[in-house]
């Protein structure tokens, strides 16, 4: 039962991302039990523009680490000339670590 719920939530979120994307790149988030990963993807070319993960950035709690990942990703994206993205939270609710990553990315200079 839980698998159906997460799959439906994932498809619903991805549908909204595709509708909102236009020419923007996609900031995709993957969350595991220990780490959080984020990457900015150019779907038209199928390439990753910038990426960051908590495996490289470790600070304090998981939420603090997620915020550090968001900030690192924003710095890498701005260095490559990317400022506007669309946020793809995947199957995860916009809460906790995912929200901390998004807020830190916004503070770092990304617009979504």
């Amino acid at each position: 039962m839980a698998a159906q719920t997460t799959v439906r939530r994932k498809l619903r979120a991805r549908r909204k991302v595709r509708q909102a994307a236009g020419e923007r790149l996609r900031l995709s988030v993957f969350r595991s039990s220990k780490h959080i990963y984020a990457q900015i993807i150019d779907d038209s070319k199928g390439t990753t523009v910038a990426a960051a993960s908590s495996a490289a950035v470790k600070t304090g709690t998981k939420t603090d680490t997620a915020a550090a990942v968001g900030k690192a990703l924003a710095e890498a994206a701005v260095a490559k000339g990317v400022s506007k993205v669309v946020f793809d939270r995947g199957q995860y609710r916009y809460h906790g670590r995912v929200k901390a990553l998004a807020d830190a990315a916004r503070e770092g200079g990304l617009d979504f």
Side-chain angles (χ1 to χ4, degrees):
M1 190 69 140
Q4 285 180 327
T5 308
T6 56
V7 168
R8 275 187 286 173
R9 191 182 316 131
K10 181 179 183 179
L11 293 175
R12 184 173 59 237
R14 291 274 162 86
R15 182 174 56 242
K16 289 180 182 180
V17 165
R18 280 192 208 104
Q19 290 171 351
E23 295 296 316
R24 291 183 178 208
L25 303 179
R26 178 168 54 106
L27 191 163
S28 179
V29 175
F30 174 74
R31 189 190 76 190
S32 72
S33 61
K34 289 186 178 183
H35 296 290
I36 191 162
Y37 307 88
Q39 58 184 346
I40 296 178
I41 303 167
D42 185 354
D43 288 319
S44 63
K45 296 178 184 174
T47 58
T48 299
V49 177
S53 74
S54 62
V57 181
K58 279 281 197 181
T59 55
T61 64
K62 290 180 183 179
T63 306
D64 294 338
T65 304
V69 168
K71 193 169 209 170
L73 181 69
E75 290 171 0
V78 169
K80 294 197 177 186
V82 176
S83 62
K84 292 189 176 195
V85 297
V86 61
F87 187 68
D88 179 10
R89 61 181 172 81
Q91 66 191 16
Y92 312 110
R93 294 179 180 175
Y94 188 78
H95 183 266
R97 291 190 280 163
V98 175
K99 184 176 184 220
L101 188 144
D103 290 343
R106 279 190 188 105
E107 289 174 10
L110 290 180
D111 179 30
F112 57 93

